[in-house]
Each structure stands twice: as C-alpha cells, then as structure tokens.
C-alpha cells in the first residue's frame, strides 16, 4: 500500500498546540502569523488509515460507554512486542495507563518517598525531572559524555553516583530523547547490573522505539539483557502512530511484587478503566498500522538526510547528531556566535520558524537546538530557506 506523506495537512482547525498561533506566541513571543512550527514532538501526518477507519466504525456505531482492558488489547500488545522487538511478554505483566508522562508521576508515587532521589542521564526529556520534583523527590543528574558527536554513558560516574546517593529509581530513556541515541545490548546489561548492585529500580521509557532510522533497537525486555526482577518498562504507540492526544499507554513489569505495588498506586489515583478510543487505538495501530509505520520511517530517514545536508551547507558551525531513532534532530550550536536561546528567539520572531533550544532538557542541553523533522518535506525546505 502506498502512503502519501508529502500531502499537506491543515492543522490549525484541530486546535493542536503545535500550530496554534496564540499558544505558540505564549511560548515564543511575537511570532508571525505565517509561522512554521518545528518544535513540539508532534508529527504533521494523519494517523494510519487503518486506525482512522477503525475509529470511524466506532463513531458510526455511536455508543461510547465504559470499557475495560479486554483480551484483544493484551493480545495486540503481546503480538506487537514479539513481532517488532522479538520479546516475549506475558499478559500479567501489562498494565494500561493514561499516558507515559503521567505514569512517571505514578511510578515515583509508588516507589519513592520525599527526600529520595531519581537518577536520569542528562540532557533528557524534561518531564522526567518534573515528575520527581512535583513529588518532593530529588533529581540526580548524570551527564552523558559526547564522543565524536555521539552520546556515551559515563559508567564510572554512574557507579560513583549510585554508590554515593543510592537513588530509588533510574529513569532510563531508551532510545534516548532528545538525541535519538540507541543504546546497545551490552550497555543496557551494564546499566541493569549496576541497578541490581546498588538497589535501584530500573524504569525504562521505550516510547521512541518504533522510529528506528539507523541501527537496531534492543528492548530492555530482550532475554538476557536486563534483570527482570528489577525492571519497569513504559511505552505506547502514541509518538510512533500519531495517537498522542488519546493519552493512553501501558507498562510491562515482569516482577510480581513490583507490579502489584505499581497497580496499587494506580488504584489510589483511580486509574482503573481505559479511554474507549485509547484502548482501541492501541489495538488498531498494533494490528494494522505496521506497513504505514515502516513507510513513514523511510520518509523520516529522507527528512533527516535533507535536514543534515541543509544545515551543513548553510550553518557549517553547527553539528547535528545522527538521529538513530525518532524524528527530532539534536544540534550542537556551541560554535555559533549566538547562543541557542538567542537563535531560537531570532528564528521564531524574524523568520517565523519555531524551534526549541535544549535549555529545558533538565541539564547539559543549553548549547543545543532541537528541530522536529516529522513533517512534510515542503515545510522543512521552507523552514531551512527562511532560516538561511
């Protein structure tokens, strides 16, 4: 089946944050009406046709009553994880939740008390830190090393911090957001071994695992990779298959005692039954959306190459990391005469191109720009021309 990812989708009418002029101005200042948004992690394509057709059947049926996690949901998750990531997941491990970001909050509530700490490798997705801070838990930042414009885990520093501070949890982003770095199996195994040695629960965000552009993703649930008695995996199809607004996700927790503690916290927050469209969105996406996803990843690879070439031509001082996954480019602009913050302000207000700097990625992202290339090539071409 052919999918047209070049087709321009009008997005103002759906009231999405990415394209709403008033909302963008509240974040970036006085931005021209004709702005092009390449900021928030929201793609500009429609969802897979099979998902849309499934939702249409639900709407036409016309009843939107309470539902539950029925067998088709579990079967879809198990089959998807087996086919896509070659891992065997048991039904009992799976718990449906209301979005990965909110689940980070519930996870801290379940396992931490005020004054505990949560380790995270910085720069990293800022809701990791927000989830800790809002629960009175300390953020233990572990800076990633840059070697040949690629992030590396600093295992000496990691072990020193684990030994000294004994964090309750390690929020581990795999693949890494914002750089798109895919961690190798031996790296994940070393992370898991250290967690076991120092009594830290490994909580892994695998949300960006479906957009693999360069290399091979290894799930932490892969046999022999991470210890299953000390592991919580959080994921969803929201980023990959354009379902973010449905706010539905799930966890996979092999260990019974960890899982029961997690579920007890969800019950305290009344996370008990799913959104009708959320649970069906997962089922439809996992059962019928993979041909669309494969075609999309090919398109995103082309976008990444186009953006890298354009930046190298027009902004040779910048260094874009190779995005091994996701659709977010991470660009070192430390050699530019302007700071990352100054560049984002200038491009937004003068060129009408809205991108983000890395200052809000907890720590160590201040010299970086992030550009969302999950859009039609037309918008990338217009944006790079305006920026130039």
């Amino acid at each position: 089946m052919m999918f047209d990812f070049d087709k321009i989708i009008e997005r103002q009418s759906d009231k999405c944050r990415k394209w709403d002029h008033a909302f963008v101005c509240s974040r970036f200042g006085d931005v021209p009406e004709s702005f092009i948004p390449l900021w928030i992690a929201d793609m500009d394509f429609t969802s897979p046709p099979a998902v849309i057709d499934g939702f249409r059947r639900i709407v036409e049926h016309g009843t939107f009553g309470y539902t539950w996690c029925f067998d088709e949901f579990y079967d879809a998750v198990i089959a998807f994880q087996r086919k896509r990531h070659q891992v065997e997941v048991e039904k009992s491990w799976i718990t449906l939740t209301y979005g990965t970001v909110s689940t980070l909050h519930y996870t801290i509530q379940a396992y931490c008390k005020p004054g505990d700490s949560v380790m995270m490798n910085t720069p990293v997705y800022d809701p990791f830190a927000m989830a800790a801070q809002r629960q009175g838990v300390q953020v233990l930042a572990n800076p990633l090393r840059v070697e040949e414009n690629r992030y590396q885990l600093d295992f000496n520093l990691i072990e020193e911090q684990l030994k000294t501070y004994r964090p309750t949890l390690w929020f581990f982003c795999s693949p890494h957001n914002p750089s798109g770095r895919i961690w190798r199996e031996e790296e994940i195994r070393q992370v898991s071994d250290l967690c076991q040695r120092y009594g830290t629960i490994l909580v892994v965000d695998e949300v960006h695992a479906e957009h693999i552009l360069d290399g091979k993703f290894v799930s932490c649930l892969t046999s022999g990779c991470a210890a299953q008695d000390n592991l919580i995996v959080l994921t969803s199809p929201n980023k990959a298959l354009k379902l973010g607004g449905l706010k539905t996700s799930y966890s996979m927790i092999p260990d019974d005692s960890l899982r029961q503690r997690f579920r007890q916290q969800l019950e305290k927050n009344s996370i008990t039954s799913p959104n009708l469209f959320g649970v069906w969105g997962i089922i439809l996406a996992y059962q019928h959306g993979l041909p669309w996803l494969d075609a999309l990843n090919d398109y995103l690879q082309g976008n990444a190459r186009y953006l890298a070439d354009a930046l190298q031509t027009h902004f040779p001082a910048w260094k874009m990391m190779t995005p091994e996954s996701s659709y977010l480019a991470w660009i070192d602009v430390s050699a530019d005469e302007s700071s990352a913050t100054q560049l984002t302000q200038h491009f937004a207000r003068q060129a009408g191109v809205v991108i983000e700097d890395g200052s809000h990625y907890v720590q160590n992202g201040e010299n970086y720009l992030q550009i969302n290339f999950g859009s039609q090539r037309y918008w990338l071409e217009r944006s790079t021309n305006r920026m130039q």
Side-chain angles (χ1 to χ4, degrees):
M1 182 181 294
M2 297 295 293
F3 303 99
D4 184 7
F5 297 108
D6 283 316
K7 181 181 178 181
I8 303 299
I9 309 298
E10 184 278 310
R11 298 211 58 201
Q12 286 87 350
S13 61
D14 64 15
K15 299 297 181 184
C16 65
R17 284 184 282 173
K18 182 179 181 181
W19 283 87
D20 187 85
H21 184 252
F23 188 89
V24 169
C25 286
S26 72
R27 288 284 303 272
F28 296 94
D30 189 14
V31 175
E33 288 275 2
S34 61
F35 74 100
I36 303 172
L38 301 180
W39 61 293
I40 192 170
D42 179 4
M43 294 187 294
D44 289 321
F45 314 109
T46 56
S47 298
V51 174
I52 297 171
D53 289 343
F55 285 166
R56 186 176 291 114
R57 290 193 296 272
I58 294 171
V59 170
E60 289 174 350
H61 188 67
T63 61
F64 311 114
Y66 300 114
T67 188
W68 79 104
C69 291
F70 41 88
D71 285 344
E72 288 92 332
F73 161 69
Y74 295 105
D75 293 344
V77 170
I78 291 168
F80 174 83
Q81 292 293 333
R82 179 185 296 127
K83 181 176 182 179
R84 200 74 181 177
H85 302 311
Q86 296 76 55
V87 297
E88 293 297 328
V89 176
E90 296 181 15
K91 177 181 177 181
S92 63
W93 299 0
I94 304 166
T95 305
L96 189 137
T97 53
Y98 292 176
T100 302
V101 170
S102 60
T103 306
L104 293 170
H105 290 69
Y106 308 142
T107 303
I108 290 178
Q109 292 169 8
Y111 303 104
C112 297
K113 60 183 183 299
D116 285 356
S117 62
V118 177
M119 174 180 275
M120 54 197 72
N121 307 104
T122 55
V124 73
Y125 186 47
D126 51 319
F128 279 27
M130 293 177 188
Q133 292 161 348
R134 288 169 179 168
Q135 312 305 321
V137 172
Q138 302 297 314
V139 172
L140 179 57
N142 178 266
L144 295 166
R145 294 200 323 264
V146 180
E147 296 180 5
E148 298 181 351
N149 203 33
R150 191 168 186 256
Y151 280 129
Q152 303 290 343
L153 293 161
D154 187 339
F155 282 107
N156 290 330
L157 178 59
I158 287 169
E159 183 160 17
E160 179 184 329
Q161 289 183 319
L162 288 172
K163 184 176 182 179
T164 301
Y165 299 101
R166 304 283 175 153
T168 306
L169 307 174
W170 181 346
F171 280 174
F172 187 64
C173 201
S174 178
H176 178 248
N177 179 9
S179 72
R181 166 74 150 86
I182 298 174
W183 306 113
R184 300 188 304 273
E185 183 172 349
E186 57 268 28
E187 292 172 314
I188 297 170
R189 187 178 298 114
Q190 192 169 353
V191 165
S192 176
D193 290 346
L194 287 169
C195 283
Q196 285 200 301
R197 185 179 307 167
Y198 294 104
T200 297
I201 301 170
L202 179 58
V203 181
V204 185
D205 174 353
E206 292 191 353
V207 165
H208 288 279
E210 316 317 334
H211 290 308
I212 303 303
L213 310 183
D214 184 15
K216 178 175 174 56
F217 168 74
V218 177
S219 171
C220 291
L221 289 166
T222 301
S223 178
C225 186
Q228 293 193 345
D229 62 352
N230 194 42
L231 178 65
I232 297 171
V233 176
L234 308 178
T235 192
S236 81
N238 293 348
K239 285 286 189 287
L241 291 123
K242 273 295 294 176
L243 302 173
L246 299 180
K247 297 293 185 181
T248 310
S249 61
Y250 60 94
S251 68
M252 294 174 286
I253 308 176
D255 183 76
D256 182 67
S257 61
L258 280 180
R259 185 172 61 254
Q260 293 307 316
R261 193 168 170 181
F262 179 80
R263 288 178 175 173
Q264 287 169 6
Q265 186 61 49
L266 295 186
E267 289 176 1
K268 290 179 182 178
N269 288 278
S270 193
I271 310 302
T272 55
S273 62
N275 174 291
L276 174 68
F277 287 92
V279 70
W280 275 110
I282 290 177
I283 295 168
L284 292 164
Y286 280 175
Q287 289 183 341
H288 307 293
L290 298 192
W292 178 92
L293 179 59
D294 290 336
L296 173 63
N297 285 344
D298 289 341
Y299 189 84
L300 292 175
Q301 285 177 330
N303 276 1
R305 288 192 296 268
Y306 171 83
L307 181 60
D309 291 343
L311 296 182
Q312 186 175 33
T313 299
H314 303 303
F315 303 96
W318 297 4
K319 293 188 295 183
M320 173 176 155
M321 288 188 177
T322 299
E324 298 170 354
S325 67
S326 188
Y327 47 86
L328 304 171
W330 191 242
I331 305 152
D332 180 355
V333 295
S334 57
D336 198 290
E337 61 184 16
S338 300
S339 70
T341 301
Q342 289 171 330
L343 288 168
T344 57
Q345 291 173 347
H346 173 75
F347 290 134
R349 299 171 188 177
Q350 304 302 320
V353 177
V354 180
I355 58 179
E356 292 187 273
D357 65 67
S359 60
H360 63 284
Y361 277 81
V362 186
Q363 293 182 25
N364 313 111
E366 295 80 6
N367 293 322
Y368 289 83
L369 299 178
Q370 186 178 70
I371 296 180
N372 177 351
F373 57 85
S375 192
Q376 290 76 18
R377 186 74 52 82
Y378 170 82
W379 293 121
L380 286 186
E381 291 172 352
R382 290 195 66 185
S383 296
T384 51
N385 286 337
R386 287 190 186 188
M387 290 166 66
Q388 174 194 348

